[in-house]
Short mmCIF file of all heavy atoms in Angstrom, two decimals:
data_model
loop_
_atom_site.label_atom_id
_atom_site.label_comp_id
_atom_site.label_asym_id
_atom_site.label_seq_id
_atom_site.Cartn_x
_atom_site.Cartn_y
_atom_site.Cartn_z
N PRO A 47 -5.39 -4.38 5.63
CA PRO A 47 -3.98 -4.30 5.27
C PRO A 47 -3.58 -2.94 4.69
O PRO A 47 -2.46 -2.75 4.27
CB PRO A 47 -3.82 -5.39 4.24
CG PRO A 47 -5.11 -5.37 3.50
CD PRO A 47 -6.14 -5.09 4.57
N PHE A 48 -4.51 -1.98 4.66
CA PHE A 48 -4.26 -0.71 4.01
C PHE A 48 -3.60 0.27 4.97
O PHE A 48 -3.81 0.23 6.18
CB PHE A 48 -5.56 -0.12 3.46
CG PHE A 48 -6.30 -1.07 2.59
CD1 PHE A 48 -7.44 -1.71 3.03
CD2 PHE A 48 -5.83 -1.38 1.32
CE1 PHE A 48 -8.12 -2.61 2.23
CE2 PHE A 48 -6.49 -2.28 0.51
CZ PHE A 48 -7.63 -2.90 0.96
N CYS A 49 -2.82 1.18 4.41
CA CYS A 49 -2.15 2.21 5.20
C CYS A 49 -3.16 3.31 5.53
O CYS A 49 -3.90 3.75 4.66
CB CYS A 49 -0.97 2.78 4.41
SG CYS A 49 -0.18 4.17 5.24
N ASP A 50 -3.17 3.76 6.79
CA ASP A 50 -4.03 4.89 7.17
C ASP A 50 -3.21 6.07 7.70
O ASP A 50 -3.76 7.01 8.26
CB ASP A 50 -5.07 4.46 8.19
CG ASP A 50 -4.49 4.08 9.54
OD1 ASP A 50 -3.24 4.11 9.71
OD2 ASP A 50 -5.27 3.74 10.45
N GLY A 51 -1.88 6.00 7.54
CA GLY A 51 -1.02 7.09 7.97
C GLY A 51 -0.52 6.99 9.40
O GLY A 51 0.22 7.85 9.86
N THR A 52 -0.91 5.94 10.12
CA THR A 52 -0.51 5.79 11.51
C THR A 52 1.01 5.69 11.67
O THR A 52 1.54 6.05 12.73
CB THR A 52 -1.19 4.54 12.13
OG1 THR A 52 -2.60 4.68 12.01
CG2 THR A 52 -0.83 4.37 13.59
N HIS A 53 1.72 5.29 10.61
CA HIS A 53 3.18 5.17 10.70
C HIS A 53 3.81 6.50 11.12
O HIS A 53 4.83 6.51 11.80
CB HIS A 53 3.78 4.70 9.36
CG HIS A 53 3.46 5.56 8.20
ND1 HIS A 53 2.30 5.40 7.47
CD2 HIS A 53 4.13 6.60 7.65
CE1 HIS A 53 2.27 6.31 6.49
NE2 HIS A 53 3.37 7.06 6.59
N LYS A 54 3.19 7.62 10.77
CA LYS A 54 3.70 8.94 11.15
C LYS A 54 3.55 9.16 12.65
O LYS A 54 4.43 9.73 13.29
CB LYS A 54 2.97 10.03 10.38
CG LYS A 54 3.17 9.97 8.89
CD LYS A 54 2.27 10.97 8.19
CE LYS A 54 2.21 10.67 6.71
NZ LYS A 54 1.18 11.47 6.04
N GLU A 55 2.44 8.71 13.22
CA GLU A 55 2.16 8.88 14.65
C GLU A 55 3.07 8.04 15.52
O GLU A 55 3.45 8.45 16.61
CB GLU A 55 0.71 8.53 14.96
CG GLU A 55 -0.31 9.40 14.28
CD GLU A 55 -1.73 8.88 14.43
OE1 GLU A 55 -1.97 8.04 15.33
OE2 GLU A 55 -2.59 9.29 13.63
N VAL A 56 3.40 6.83 15.05
CA VAL A 56 4.18 5.90 15.88
C VAL A 56 5.68 5.99 15.62
O VAL A 56 6.46 5.31 16.27
CB VAL A 56 3.70 4.44 15.70
CG1 VAL A 56 2.24 4.30 16.11
CG2 VAL A 56 3.93 3.93 14.30
N GLY A 57 6.09 6.85 14.69
CA GLY A 57 7.51 7.03 14.41
C GLY A 57 8.16 5.86 13.70
O GLY A 57 9.35 5.58 13.89
N PHE A 58 7.39 5.17 12.86
CA PHE A 58 7.92 4.02 12.11
C PHE A 58 9.09 4.46 11.24
O PHE A 58 9.04 5.51 10.60
CB PHE A 58 6.82 3.43 11.24
CG PHE A 58 7.27 2.30 10.37
CD1 PHE A 58 7.59 1.06 10.90
CD2 PHE A 58 7.37 2.47 8.99
CE1 PHE A 58 8.00 0.02 10.08
CE2 PHE A 58 7.77 1.44 8.17
CZ PHE A 58 8.08 0.20 8.72
N GLN A 59 10.15 3.65 11.23
CA GLN A 59 11.31 3.93 10.40
C GLN A 59 11.69 2.70 9.61
O GLN A 59 11.76 1.60 10.16
CB GLN A 59 12.49 4.36 11.25
CG GLN A 59 12.28 5.68 11.95
CD GLN A 59 13.48 6.10 12.75
OE1 GLN A 59 14.29 5.30 13.16
NE2 GLN A 59 13.59 7.41 12.98
N ALA A 60 11.92 2.89 8.32
CA ALA A 60 12.36 1.81 7.44
C ALA A 60 12.93 2.43 6.18
O ALA A 60 12.52 3.52 5.77
CB ALA A 60 11.19 0.88 7.08
N GLU A 61 13.86 1.73 5.58
CA GLU A 61 14.45 2.21 4.33
C GLU A 61 13.44 2.22 3.21
O GLU A 61 12.53 1.40 3.17
CB GLU A 61 15.62 1.31 3.92
CG GLU A 61 16.85 1.49 4.76
CD GLU A 61 18.03 0.73 4.20
OE1 GLU A 61 18.15 0.64 2.96
OE2 GLU A 61 18.83 0.25 5.01
N GLY A 62 13.63 3.13 2.29
CA GLY A 62 12.82 3.16 1.08
C GLY A 62 13.48 2.37 -0.02
O GLY A 62 14.61 1.91 0.12
N GLY A 63 12.78 2.20 -1.10
CA GLY A 63 13.32 1.49 -2.26
C GLY A 63 12.20 1.07 -3.19
O GLY A 63 11.07 1.54 -3.05
N GLU A 64 12.52 0.21 -4.10
CA GLU A 64 11.48 -0.32 -4.99
C GLU A 64 11.87 -1.69 -5.48
O GLU A 64 13.06 -2.03 -5.57
CB GLU A 64 11.19 0.62 -6.15
CG GLU A 64 12.34 0.85 -7.10
CD GLU A 64 11.96 1.86 -8.18
OE1 GLU A 64 11.20 2.81 -7.89
OE2 GLU A 64 12.43 1.70 -9.29
N ILE A 65 10.86 -2.46 -5.79
CA ILE A 65 11.03 -3.79 -6.36
C ILE A 65 10.40 -3.76 -7.74
O ILE A 65 9.22 -3.39 -7.88
CB ILE A 65 10.34 -4.86 -5.48
CG1 ILE A 65 10.97 -4.89 -4.08
CG2 ILE A 65 10.40 -6.23 -6.14
CD1 ILE A 65 10.20 -5.73 -3.09
#
Side-chain angles (χ1 to χ4, degrees):
F48 307 106
C49 175
D50 68 358
T52 302
H53 57 274
K54 297 173 194 170
E55 297 171 18
V56 300
F58 176 72
Q59 294 182 336
E61 286 189 35
E64 64 183 34
I65 298 170

